[in-house]
Structures are given as structure tokens and as C-alpha cells.
Amino acid sequence: MTSPKATAPETTAEVRERARAIPEAAVARLAVYLRVLSGMVEQQVTTISSEELAGAAGVNSAKLRKDLSYIGSYGTRGVGYDVEVLVSHIERILGLTRKHSVAVVGIGNLGHALANYGGFPSRGFPVAALFDIDPDLTGVPVGGIPVHHIDDITSVCAEREVSIGVIATPPQAAQAVCDRLVSAGVQCILNFAPVVLQVPDYVEVRKVDLAVEMQILSFHVARRADEAAGDVVNGVGVDGVVIRP
Amino acid sequence: MTSPKATAPETTAEVRERARAIPEAAVARLAVYLRVLSGMVEQQVTTISSEELAGAAGVNSAKLRKDLSYIGSYGTRGVGYDVEVLVSHIERILGLTRKHSVAVVGIGNLGHALANYGGFPSRGFPVAALFDIDPDLTGVPVGGIPVHHIDDITSVCAEREVSIGVIATPPQAAQAVCDRLVSAGVQCILNFAPVVLQVPDYVEVRKVDLAVEMQILSFHVARRADEAAGDVVNGVGVDGVVIRP
DNA sequence: GAGTGTGAAAAGTTTCACAGCC
DNA sequence: GGCTGTGAAACTTTTCACACTC
């Protein structure tokens, strides 16, 4: 990238420096490439070009090559990428060589779905603990894991070395739950509650907000409808000609 | 924005032009501001400053003001924004003045959770239909709505004017379901299946990929761990001093 | 005095286009 | 001939800072 002549074996420092420099947007796409590539491995595909992989991942090939260049130069010119090599490098960069135990808090409809979701454990994210505030649920197994009372978050999370907390509680409870997770030492949170969580700087929060997603889609519906209507109605453009392109 | 002198009443064309120009990233945040503001309305707050609203929404105030400026100038200098005015303008821009019927396909754990999720109907997204491939589920009510067989997507979606399709099926089924939704005239899709959907240009897809979210968190855990370790171990920095900041 | 609205600068991201290698 | 890797260009988004209004 910057300097190393020929194929110098990378030092830890170089790998680290490189990881630090990967744009946030590229990280998200690397995860997608990884999933596509895992499918390729299963189909016995051994080599793939940037064009093919890009198509399967829904991006253009220049972007894909740029993204891969952030993690190193592992392709062969004129040929493409070795699927397994790429898989292992992406896994390394994403930190998937270690296991990340997950705790789910809030065992309602969504919590149930998450506890039973096969996509976590199979990808190196074992669900290590479940929590709910309802004492009737305590001890009840969900997806094979017994539910703990929310008051035990600190001890259980520490004991099981939980590194990712998933908040699937009603909005009113989310901030309090978040605070407890943080004081239990959890530094990564995936938040499904429609609330903006306040956390210390060192805690990484990602949110999944269904209503927001819907509203973004709604915006696009509305804009399209406006465009279609406006071109004819408003005297701005006639017979379908858009004046301001 | 560009030209209109004084307080010229906006033409439809201007509103349209403006909507077209709102950056994608700003649209997502507007939805968040809207939620925060709705909470304010309930607490009888009538006026709010950019600083306060930004704090509650987890962004900085310059960004918030810029975002709001895309939809118009509805604040009062020295005072702030009228909460209700802002709510109604954001709703208009996001197209929330019409109802958007939602169909959920795939009534497994997640589908159940979505069908029962109160956040949709309460925000103008009534769940109008449920679909599953399992004939045993057909007719069974989930969250008060009977499940249809997947083969009826086209007719039921057309009849109920579904504008948003939610895919909560296993990955193998997702593309086929998507194709059916599209041929039923659905132009917006929210995809929970870990698959990259191929759709025509005019269809808007948003995806929620839990494994990807986890892996992004994992990346940050790994990077942090590397940094912590590297500073001490690698001869790059000593006694906790970070050389490259 | 307080706080919005916005050009202009800075930072981040995507796309282009082609040299270099197989 | 085909395809990667990457600087440089184009575009998007964020941040700054201050003129302007109440």
C-alpha cells in the first residue's frame, strides 16, 4: 500500500494500521462480500473475478476492488481472487477469528426471534445469555437457553464474557438496559428499540430501526409520485419533459 | 434556498425540487428527528432549539440545522423551532400524509414479531397482509391478520394496494418472493433475508442484515483490541503513548 | 443575547481510467 | 487478452464559522 517493497511479510503494526484506515462504508460491504464468498465456497467455486463478485454483491466492480485493496493485494492479475484466501483475509480483518458472545435483553416477540435466529451462532456469534424483566420468564428456556432476570445482567455478562449486547426491549426500558450493559463491561450494542441511546465514547452502538426504514421507503414512494404527477400537472414541464434535470 | 425573494408561498414544483435534492443520509436522520419530536409533543414541549433537538437525536447541531434547511426555513432565529410545525413538515417530506400498506412475507419467528410489532401501524404503516408458503398456516390469524398462501401474493397485494413488501423468509426463498412482489407491483421492499436481491431499477430495496451488523461490531472490537495490544507490544508506542493519533 | 440558516472549507466516498502483471 | 490495484478526479456528506434575524 504505502511502502513495503516486494512481498514483505506484513508486520502486526501494518495490519493494524491498515485496519484502522478502512472506511466505515467499506467495512459494511466487506461483511456482505464475505457472505457471498461463503456461498461460493459451498458451491465449490475456487476463483472469482471482481466483476462476478461485484455482481453477486450488488455493487460495481471498481468499488469492490477498492474495498478489497484496503485489506491487501490478494488477487492475481488476469485471473481474479482465490475464494478461500479472500474469505480468510476478510474474516481476519472483521475480527471473526475470535468468538463474540452475545446477550439478548428483552424476550418479547423480537427477542424470541433473535434467540432462535440461526444466523448468529453459525457465524461465530453464540448467544450466551438472555434477559428479561418479567420474573415469570426467569428460568424458562428460549431457543435452548434459560432466561435470566434483568437484575443479573452484570454478573452473568461478566461470567460469560459477553462482548455484544442486543437490546430488544420496549423503548422506555432501553436506556436503562443500555446503562446496565455498559456497566457490565459490554462495549458493543445492537439496538432494536426506537430510541437514541446515550453511551460513553468508547461504546460502539449500531441501531436497527424498523420505523425509520419504513419512513425512508415512504420518502421514496412520495418522491416518485410527486415526480410523476408534477411533470404533467404543474406547468413546469410539458408532455413529460423535465425542465430541471 | 436558491432564489425566492421574501416569503414567497412555495409552489408544488419548489417542494418537489427540494425533496429531490435531500441527501439520502439526511432523510434517514429526518425520520429520527421526527420520532424525537413526536415524543416532545407528548411532553407538551412547544419549542426546541437545534442544540436540544440535536442532543436528543444524537447528532451535532450543525448537522441538524443543515438537515432541516433541506426541507425549508421553519425556525425562528434567537428562539428555535416550533415542535408541531417541524413535525408536520417532516411528515410531509417523508410522505407520511398517505398510508402505506405493508405485506409481510414469511411468518416464522421474525415474521411473527413483525406482524405483532406495534411500531408499524401506529406510524402510518398498517400491516395489510401476511404470506407464508406453509399451507398449514393459511388462514391462521397472526397478530389479528389471517395468513395467505404465498401463491396469492399478486392478487392480494393488488387488491389491498400494498406499497411496501417485507421479506422475512429464509434466504433461499427470498429472491423468488421478491420477484413475485415486484410483479405484483410492489415498488419498495424491506429485506431481512441475508441475500442480495436483484431488482429492476425502479424498485427501492432496503436491507436489514443482522449478521452484517454483528460483524461490523466485531470489526470495532478487533480494532480496539489491536490498538490496545499494539501500543504496548509492538515497539510502536511505549507506556501508553499513541504515536500515530 | 440567543439561535437559525447557509456559503465555503474539509473530510469521506465513489467512480474513472489505465499502468502493470499474469 | 484479461483482470487487478490504485492514483487522481468527481461527487457526496459533514463540519465550520459567521451574517443575519428575532
Side-chain angles (χ1 to χ4, degrees):
Chain A
M1 210 176 194
T2 334
S3 55
K5 305 191 177 169
T7 348
E10 284 192 311
T11 66
T12 318
E14 279 164 353
V15 171
R16 195 149 40 82
E17 181 61 17
R18 176 165 285 172
R20 184 177 317 189
I22 301 179
E24 193 62 30
V27 173
R29 287 190 299 264
L30 283 170
V32 174
Y33 306 152
L34 178 58
R35 193 183 57 219
V36 173
L37 288 166
S38 303
M40 299 289 172
V41 170
E42 272 164 38
Q43 292 175 231
Q44 325 270 342
V45 178
T46 55
T47 294
I48 194 166
S49 72
S50 64
E51 203 74 49
E52 292 170 299
L53 181 50
V59 302
N60 72 44
S61 62
K63 196 190 281 181
L64 176 123
R65 288 201 302 279
K66 189 60 127 186
D67 287 345
L68 293 184
S69 81
Y70 294 127
I71 67 173
S73 307
Y74 304 116
T76 310
R77 289 163 198 237
V79 179
Y81 301 89
D82 182 284
V83 174
E84 296 202 8
V85 168
L86 221 42
V87 165
S88 72
H89 283 295
I90 297 178
E91 285 182 338
R92 177 175 50 81
I93 290 289
L94 294 182
L96 303 178
T97 44
R98 7 185 159 183
K99 286 236 175 302
H100 301 272
S101 295
V102 173
V104 178
V105 188
I107 311 301
N109 282 306
L110 180 57
H112 262 87
L114 295 170
N116 285 298
Y117 181 56
F120 289 167
S122 74
R123 295 209 147 282
F125 297 96
V127 177
L130 306 177
F131 300 95
D132 200 283
I133 202 169
D134 180 355
D136 292 350
L137 274 175
T138 304
V140 176
V142 173
I145 305 155
V147 176
H148 290 265
H149 190 270
I150 212 169
D151 289 341
D152 300 331
I153 282 187
T154 313
S155 58
V156 176
C157 285
E159 179 198 317
R160 311 211 178 154
E161 299 184 304
V162 166
S163 52
I164 300 178
V166 177
I167 298 179
T169 64
Q172 309 79 31
Q175 183 63 58
V177 163
C178 174
D179 293 344
R180 291 206 198 188
L181 284 169
V182 170
S183 64
V186 174
Q187 299 199 356
C188 293
I189 290 176
L190 182 56
N191 178 32
F192 286 86
V195 176
V196 178
L197 295 176
Q198 310 289 339
V199 296
D201 283 349
Y202 64 87
V203 175
E204 189 78 27
V205 175
R206 296 201 53 95
K207 64 180 203 298
V208 174
D209 188 322
L210 303 185
V212 167
E213 296 297 329
M214 291 294 204
Q215 290 172 8
I216 295 170
L217 289 172
S218 167
F219 170 79
H220 290 289
V221 178
R223 202 189 36 165
R224 252 195 295 257
D226 282 350
E227 270 167 19
D231 292 340
V232 183
V233 165
N234 212 278
V236 176
V238 207
D239 49 50
V241 178
V242 181
I243 290 185
R244 288 174 284 188
Chain B
M1 211 175 192
T2 334
S3 55
K5 306 191 176 170
T7 347
E10 282 190 314
T11 66
T12 319
E14 279 165 353
V15 172
R16 194 152 38 83
E17 180 62 16
R18 176 165 285 173
R20 186 176 316 188
I22 303 178
E24 192 64 31
V27 173
R29 286 189 299 265
L30 284 170
V32 174
Y33 305 152
L34 177 59
R35 192 182 58 219
V36 173
L37 288 166
S38 303
M40 298 289 172
V41 171
E42 272 163 38
Q43 292 174 233
Q44 325 271 342
V45 178
T46 56
T47 294
I48 195 167
S49 71
S50 63
E51 202 75 49
E52 291 169 300
L53 181 50
V59 302
N60 71 43
S61 64
K63 195 189 283 181
L64 177 123
R65 287 200 304 279
K66 189 60 129 185
D67 288 344
L68 293 182
S69 80
Y70 294 127
I71 68 174
S73 306
Y74 304 115
T76 309
R77 290 166 198 233
V79 179
Y81 302 88
D82 181 285
V83 174
E84 296 202 8
V85 168
L86 221 42
V87 164
S88 72
H89 283 293
I90 297 178
E91 285 182 338
R92 176 174 52 79
I93 289 287
L94 294 182
L96 303 178
T97 46
R98 5 183 159 185
K99 285 238 177 302
H100 299 272
S101 295
V102 173
V104 178
V105 188
I107 310 301
N109 280 307
L110 181 58
H112 261 89
L114 294 171
N116 286 298
Y117 181 55
F120 290 167
S122 75
R123 294 211 148 282
F125 298 95
V127 178
L130 306 177
F131 299 95
D132 201 283
I133 203 170
D134 181 355
D136 292 350
L137 274 175
T138 304
V140 176
V142 173
I145 306 155
V147 176
H148 290 267
H149 191 269
I150 213 170
D151 289 341
D152 300 331
I153 282 187
T154 314
S155 58
V156 176
C157 284
E159 179 198 317
R160 310 210 178 155
E161 299 184 302
V162 166
S163 52
I164 299 179
V166 177
I167 299 179
T169 64
Q172 309 79 31
Q175 183 63 58
V177 163
C178 174
D179 294 344
R180 290 205 198 191
L181 284 169
V182 170
S183 63
V186 174
Q187 298 197 358
C188 292
I189 290 177
L190 181 55
N191 178 32
F192 286 87
V195 176
V196 178
L197 295 176
Q198 310 289 338
V199 295
D201 282 350
Y202 64 86
V203 175
E204 188 79 27
V205 176
R206 296 202 50 95
K207 65 179 203 297
V208 174
D209 189 323
L210 303 185
V212 167
E213 295 298 329
M214 291 295 204
Q215 289 171 8
I216 296 170
L217 288 172
S218 168
F219 170 79
H220 290 288
V221 179
R223 202 189 35 164
R224 252 194 296 255
D226 282 350
E227 270 165 21
D231 292 341
V232 183
V233 166
N234 211 277
V236 177
V238 206
D239 50 49
V241 177
V242 182
I243 289 185
R244 291 173 284 187

